[in-house]
């Protein structure tokens, strides 16, 4: 069953309660609001045009100096406020339901120059500037027509006002309303950023727990055992008891080292850094409880972050194959198509895998979604199970990837 979701534009979302009453010869309250809006167009347009010509053109003219770009950025921020006032006027007088665009995320964005560049390329500010430029001739025209019609054509003024204000409504929706695709994308990125932060925090808690409960506890026991053996030696009791204690301490050392190696492999395996995705996935497949065939058709290596996400995705999927699938064989295929890295994990197990099955699938889907990836499960009851993961391809920046080593949170 396929569920179809239809995204509609601002005009499609107008409810019955928001629809305007029809224009009539009688001057009803809506007609008077429209007349007031048309008469106010001239002073408002004069103010907006003066602002644009004074601040924006001054900023553009001074871009050859140091203060030009900051002045231009400040002008665009001011234009945003003019747009906000125009949207409020349209809501009150014209009944236009226009959402406010998302504010610029200037705080904590890489310092002064990053914030300056973000302000200069603000599409909301530039569309408001265009709106204010074209409003002056329109404001003069609507003011003149409305004022004249009040005296010489008042019987048909409601219809004239409705036609003129419909043009106003179109301008407000076209130039002052936020882009639905952009706003939706911003909301998705904000959600994905929260997922990444939560995932990184969970990984840090897991590493801390593993260190505290595993290797750290063994090292404490080792220190205590060696301390007791030292006391026995100082007391001259170098007998079989001391030998047994030293042997036990040696065993604890080997177990602690193994746990530390396993923990380091879980953060970021050395084979992935040194030899790439093919060798790393072959290493993961060798630890799976069922035979796994690995095929990696990659002419070059992707960026370290994408490579790390791909590795941990396959690692967790093969762990699920070992623990839950009951499969006799499995396969892993990795290849590149255009600007996407595709991963497909297949097994001939019992099937029935789902995002809410308690096997970590939902976490994998969230991780891939945080980097604009996809995660698709095809697992009918009785099997087989085919899981496809798709990641954006980014070319490997050697200097950037070397500097990224040792930062596991960026890979997870």
């Amino acid at each position: 069953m396929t569920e179809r979701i239809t995204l509609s534009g601002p005009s499609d979302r107008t409810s019955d309660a928001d629809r305007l009453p029809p224009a009539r010869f009688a001057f009803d309250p809506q007609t008077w609001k429209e007349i007031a809006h048309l008469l106010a167009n001239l002073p408002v347009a004069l103010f907006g045009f003066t602002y644009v010509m004074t601040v924006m053109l001054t900023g553009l003219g001074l871009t050859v100096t140091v203060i030009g770009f900051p002045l231009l950025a400040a002008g665009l921020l001011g234009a945003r406020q003019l747009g906000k006032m125009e949207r409020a006027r349209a809501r009150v007088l014209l009944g236009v339901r226009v959402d406010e665009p998302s504010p610029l995320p200037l705080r904590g964005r890489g310092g002064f120059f990053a914030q300056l560049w973000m302000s200069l390329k603000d599409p909301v500010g530039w569309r408001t500037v265009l709106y204010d430029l074209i409003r002056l001739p329109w404001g003069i025209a609507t003011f003149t027509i409305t004022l004249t019609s009040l005296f010489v054509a008042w019987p048909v003024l409601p219809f004239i006002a409705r036609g003129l204000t419909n043009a106003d409504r179109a301008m407000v929706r076209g130039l002052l309303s936020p882009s639905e695709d952009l706003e939706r994308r911003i909301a998705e990125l904000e959600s994905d950023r929260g997922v990444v932060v939560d995932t990184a925090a969970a990984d840090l808690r897991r590493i801390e727990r593993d260190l505290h409960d595993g290797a750290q506890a063994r090292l404490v026991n080792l220190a205590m055992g060696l301390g007791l053996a030292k006391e026995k030696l100082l007391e001259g009791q170098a007998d079989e008891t001391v030998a047994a204690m030293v042997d036990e301490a040696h065993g604890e050392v080997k177990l602690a080292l193994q746990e530390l190696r396993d923990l380091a492999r879980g953060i970021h395996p050395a084979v992935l850094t040194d030899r790439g995705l093919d060798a790393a996935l072959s290493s993961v497949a060798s630890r799976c409880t069922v035979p796994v065939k690995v095929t990696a058709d990659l002419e070059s290596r992707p960026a370290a972050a994408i490579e790390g996400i791909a590795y941990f995705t396959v690692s967790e999927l093969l762990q699920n194959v070992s623990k839950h699938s009951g499969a006799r064989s499995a396969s892993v295929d990795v290849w590149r198509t255009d600007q996407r890295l595709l991963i497909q994990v297949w097994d001939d197990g019992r099937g029935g895998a789902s995002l809410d099955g308690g096997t970590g699938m939902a976490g994998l889907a969230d991780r891939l979604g945080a980097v604009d990836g996809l995660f698709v499960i095809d697992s009918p009851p009785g099997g087989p199970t085919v899981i496809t993961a798709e990641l954006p391809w980014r070319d490997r920046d050697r200097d950037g990837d070397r500097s990224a080593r040792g930062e596991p949170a960026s890979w997870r």
Side-chain angles (χ1 to χ4, degrees):
M1 177 177 179
T2 302
E3 181 180 358
R4 177 172 297 177
I5 301 176
T6 303
L7 299 177
S8 58
S11 60
D12 298 330
R13 295 198 310 266
T14 305
S15 63
D16 293 337
D18 295 334
R19 288 178 182 165
L20 301 172
R24 296 178 297 178
F25 286 105
F27 283 28
D28 57 17
Q30 182 58 44
T31 299
W32 285 115
K33 287 182 180 181
E34 292 174 348
I35 293 172
H37 183 274
L38 294 171
L39 292 175
N41 272 349
L42 180 58
V44 172
L46 278 172
F47 179 79
F49 186 83
T50 303
Y51 174 86
V52 169
M53 297 300 292
T54 303
V55 179
M56 300 302 298
L57 287 185
T58 302
L60 287 172
L62 293 176
T63 51
V64 295
T65 67
V66 177
I67 64 172
F69 288 107
L71 181 60
L72 188 59
L76 288 171
L77 291 176
R80 267 183 166 256
Q81 299 306 312
L82 293 180
K84 183 177 182 180
M85 290 188 293
E86 278 293 272
R87 284 187 292 272
R89 187 166 74 101
R91 278 193 296 269
V92 173
L93 297 178
L94 301 183
V96 178
R97 310 279 179 167
V98 178
D99 295 331
E100 294 293 328
S102 298
L104 284 176
L106 295 178
R107 293 185 179 180
R109 284 303 179 96
F112 172 76
F113 290 103
Q115 296 174 8
L116 177 64
W117 175 243
M118 186 179 297
S119 300
L120 289 175
K121 64 178 185 177
D122 176 25
V124 175
W126 285 112
R127 282 192 282 122
T128 307
V129 168
L130 176 61
Y131 178 86
D132 288 326
L133 284 176
I134 65 176
R135 290 292 291 180
L136 182 59
W138 176 252
I140 296 173
T142 55
F143 179 85
T144 304
I145 293 172
T146 304
L147 188 62
T148 304
S149 299
L150 275 173
F151 296 99
V152 300
W154 61 266
V156 294
L157 181 56
F159 301 95
I160 296 174
R162 179 58 53 86
L164 295 176
T165 53
N166 281 341
D168 273 318
R169 292 182 181 95
M171 279 188 261
V172 170
R173 291 193 179 104
L175 293 176
L176 299 184
S177 63
S179 169
E180 288 198 354
D181 292 337
L182 180 60
E183 292 296 313
R184 183 170 61 251
R185 183 61 179 155
I186 290 174
E188 290 175 355
L189 291 175
E190 289 177 348
S191 175
D192 292 343
R193 182 180 60 185
V195 171
V196 170
V197 171
D198 293 341
T199 301
D203 288 340
L204 290 176
R205 288 194 299 269
R206 178 186 60 80
I207 293 171
E208 181 183 7
R209 183 180 64 250
D210 291 344
L211 284 173
H212 183 272
D213 297 340
Q216 181 179 342
R218 292 193 180 279
L219 291 174
V220 169
N221 291 333
L222 171 62
M224 293 176 61
L226 290 177
L228 291 174
K230 180 180 177 181
E231 290 180 2
K232 294 289 186 180
L233 289 172
L234 292 176
E235 294 172 0
Q237 301 179 8
D239 53 10
E240 294 182 358
T241 303
V242 175
M245 295 175 65
V246 172
D247 183 64
E248 182 180 355
H250 182 252
E252 290 287 338
V253 169
K254 291 194 291 184
L255 290 173
L257 288 175
Q258 181 62 40
E259 290 185 358
L260 288 174
R261 278 195 295 266
D262 292 340
L263 183 60
R265 186 183 296 114
I267 295 174
H268 193 75
V271 65
L272 179 62
T273 303
D274 297 335
R275 299 176 57 191
L277 198 57
D278 190 359
L281 295 183
S282 298
S283 176
V284 172
S286 66
R287 297 195 298 269
C288 188
T289 58
V290 301
V292 180
K293 179 183 178 182
V294 177
T295 304
D297 184 13
L298 299 175
E299 296 180 357
S300 60
R301 295 178 63 177
I306 299 300
E307 195 174 59
I309 294 173
Y311 170 83
F312 287 110
T313 299
V314 175
S315 178
E316 294 194 30
L317 289 176
L318 289 183
Q319 287 183 22
N320 285 338
V321 171
S322 298
K323 296 178 182 178
H324 308 292
S325 70
R328 293 188 299 263
S329 62
S331 65
V332 176
D333 294 290
V334 182
W335 71 97
R336 177 185 177 181
T337 300
D338 294 330
Q339 294 301 310
R340 307 293 286 182
L341 176 66
L342 285 90
I343 303 166
Q344 192 170 84
V345 178
W346 171 91
D347 70 76
D348 59 356
R350 64 176 63 95
S354 63
L355 291 178
D356 55 356
T359 56
M361 296 291 187
L364 286 177
D366 289 340
R367 287 189 183 185
L368 268 68
V371 294
D372 201 19
L374 296 175
F375 189 77
V376 179
I377 300 175
D378 181 13
S379 183
T385 296
V386 180
I387 297 178
T388 304
E390 184 177 331
L391 290 164
W393 179 276
R394 293 204 304 270
D395 291 328
R396 194 173 189 85
D397 181 358
R398 294 182 179 178
D399 295 334
D401 290 341
R402 278 198 293 267
S403 64
R405 294 175 187 173
E407 298 181 4
S410 65
W411 291 315
R412 300 305 296 271

